[in-house]
Amino acid sequence: MTDGSDDIQALIALMARLPGLGPRSARRVVLQLIRRRGGQMAQLAALMERVAQNSRECLTCGNITDRDTCAICTDPARATGEICVVEDVADLWALERAGAFRGRYHVLGGTLSALDEIGPEDLGIPALIDRIARDRISEVILALNATVEGQTTAHYIADALEGSGIAITGLAQGVPIGGELDYLDDGTISAALRARRRI
Amino acid sequence: MTDGSDDIQALIALMARLPGLGPRSARRVVLQLIRRRGGQMAQLAALMERVAQNSRECLTCGNITDRDTCAICTDPARATGEICVVEDVADLWALERAGAFRGRYHVLGGTLSALDEIGPEDLGIPALIDRIARDRISEVILALNATVEGQTTAHYIADALEGSGIAITGLAQGVPIGGELDYLDDGTISAALRARRRI
Ligand SMILES: [Zn+2]
Ligand SMILES: [Zn+2]
């Protein structure tokens, strides 16, 4: 009985395992939830309960949804000929917040990794190839992270689609908006210099 | 529909307001909870529900408990003559983890602040004075933070207990175990030097 009741201790231990938290943050979060009036913890618990019960992966694209097929895949206003391939649902959300893409997505759920024994099947790449063949896709945008793993995976998919006549593109690399050269890594600066454009 | 269903969005918004989290961490936490198999989110929801329903403040010391009086206040093995005054339940937990104190506690729930209009009554200081008079206390340890607010509050309590014949003590200040002088602030170094001891 150091950290209050057993339930409180168990809650802290569970929260401490969440990404970005740790034992200290978990203790602060739980204390704040207990202290706040207005039943905030009960509200959070009820929402979690509902999300846990209703969330599943879209059978078409892998997005998280409460239906068989997600709202993006069923939106008639979105172009069906462009598929944007992302590593993770968080990346899909980031692109949607930017509001710059109006086609459909495909969520891989990771990257190829020999070390972790993650192969093309584990990422649904065969399903992606099938989908591209079936749906008359004109462009596949490989919006994978600019990491070694992301780019290895992008090259694997690009190779698999070679000769299909489909445009395979990737996100431009360069200096982020508002980015200061002094704070950027050398790789980004080199890539931005190589891809320089007339202004 | 940028962040998935409305429930998921609401859950992210609620989690983003927790201490130490923000929108980005909240999104990562919620995604990981949805993805993990084994119903981790449902388990977390159930625990939160129980903790939210059962947690309250100990009527004697202000610790968080699921009873009227906490396990520390009712533990016959703990000394009744020593009260350790802390700002927050998190501080009580830290002292319990250290295992160095075997008396009772008093949780103020904050510090005196003219700016925020927090006076002695808001911190239960009159109740503390009453408790000290009633319970035959021999020592009051003011384990408040080494901040201006913490020390102001400590001095206020020490003044209020002056002439009572009770020993009023505070935590020693100095170099933390493993602390490197080069990384410590000047105030800590000065305090450690003033409180120097023969070795
Ligand atoms: Zn979908
Ligand atoms: Zn108590």
Side-chain angles (χ1 to χ4, degrees):
Chain A
M1 221 306 299
T2 38
D3 280 1
S5 78
D6 290 346
D7 276 348
I8 294 177
Q9 283 227 56
L11 181 56
I12 291 170
L14 213 53
M15 300 218 35
R17 292 210 303 264
L18 295 176
L21 290 167
R24 189 161 185 280
S25 301
R27 284 194 294 268
R28 287 177 56 219
V29 164
V30 170
L31 266 181
Q32 169 153 338
L33 283 170
I34 291 173
R35 258 192 237 108
R36 279 209 193 153
R37 308 294 164 196
Q40 200 192 25
M41 195 189 263
Q43 194 188 343
L44 194 55
L47 258 176
M48 278 193 176
E49 176 72 37
R50 277 217 304 277
V51 168
Q53 284 195 338
N54 299 332
S55 298
R56 47 197 152 142
E57 289 181 0
C58 170
L59 296 175
T60 303
C61 77
N63 187 14
I64 285 169
T65 176
D66 52 4
R67 285 163 285 182
D68 279 346
T69 308
C70 78
I72 292 175
C73 283
T74 50
D75 183 349
R78 298 185 72 122
T80 53
E82 293 162 27
I83 289 187
C84 183
V85 178
V86 292
E87 287 178 31
D88 198 278
V89 174
D91 302 326
L92 183 160
W93 288 353
L95 283 155
E96 286 297 290
R97 283 198 302 280
F101 178 65
R102 296 294 299 162
R104 310 287 170 103
Y105 288 95
H106 197 90
V107 180
L108 296 175
T111 49
L112 295 173
S113 167
L115 202 68
D116 298 326
E117 297 186 340
I118 298 174
E121 307 74 31
D122 301 304
L123 303 178
I125 293 179
L128 170 65
I129 309 282
D130 283 354
R131 182 181 168 197
I132 288 166
R134 199 177 57 233
D135 286 358
R136 294 202 191 160
I137 304 300
S138 57
E139 180 176 358
V140 173
I141 302 160
L142 300 170
L144 304 182
N145 289 334
T147 56
V148 172
E149 298 77 21
Q151 294 310 304
T152 303
T153 307
H155 281 119
Y156 179 91
I157 297 172
D159 285 350
L161 292 172
E162 217 191 312
S164 63
I166 295 165
I168 314 290
T169 59
L171 298 181
Q173 288 194 310
V175 179
I177 306 290
E180 296 175 63
L181 293 193
D182 200 22
Y183 289 90
L184 289 174
D185 65 292
D186 299 348
T188 299
I189 293 176
S190 307
L193 189 66
R194 280 195 303 274
R196 65 190 178 279
R197 302 196 279 170
R198 284 188 187 281
I199 49 174
Chain B
M1 223 305 300
T2 37
D3 280 1
S5 78
D6 291 346
D7 275 350
I8 294 177
Q9 284 228 55
L11 181 56
I12 290 170
L14 213 54
M15 300 216 39
R17 294 209 302 265
L18 296 175
L21 289 167
R24 188 161 185 281
S25 302
R27 284 194 294 269
R28 288 177 56 218
V29 164
V30 169
L31 266 180
Q32 168 154 337
L33 283 170
I34 291 173
R35 256 194 239 108
R36 280 208 192 151
R37 309 292 164 196
Q40 200 192 27
M41 195 190 263
Q43 194 188 345
L44 194 55
L47 258 177
M48 277 193 177
E49 176 71 39
R50 275 217 305 276
V51 168
Q53 284 196 338
N54 299 333
S55 297
R56 48 199 150 141
E57 288 180 1
C58 170
L59 296 175
T60 303
C61 77
N63 186 15
I64 286 170
T65 176
D66 53 3
R67 285 165 283 182
D68 279 347
T69 308
C70 77
I72 292 175
C73 284
T74 51
D75 183 349
R78 298 186 72 123
T80 54
E82 294 163 27
I83 289 188
C84 182
V85 178
V86 292
E87 286 177 33
D88 198 280
V89 174
D91 302 326
L92 183 160
W93 289 353
L95 282 155
E96 285 297 290
R97 282 197 302 280
F101 179 67
R102 295 293 300 162
R104 311 287 169 103
Y105 289 95
H106 198 90
V107 180
L108 296 175
T111 49
L112 295 173
S113 167
L115 202 68
D116 298 326
E117 296 187 338
I118 297 173
E121 307 74 29
D122 301 304
L123 303 178
I125 292 180
L128 169 65
I129 309 284
D130 282 354
R131 183 181 167 196
I132 290 167
R134 199 177 57 233
D135 287 359
R136 293 201 192 162
I137 304 299
S138 57
E139 180 177 359
V140 173
I141 301 160
L142 300 170
L144 304 182
N145 289 334
T147 56
V148 173
E149 299 77 20
Q151 293 311 302
T152 302
T153 307
H155 281 120
Y156 179 91
I157 296 171
D159 285 349
L161 293 172
E162 216 191 311
S164 62
I166 295 165
I168 314 291
T169 58
L171 298 181
Q173 288 196 308
V175 179
I177 306 292
E180 296 175 63
L181 293 193
D182 200 21
Y183 289 90
L184 289 174
D185 67 291
D186 299 348
T188 298
I189 293 177
S190 307
L193 189 65
R194 281 195 303 271
R196 66 190 179 277
R197 304 197 276 171
R198 284 188 189 279
I199 48 175

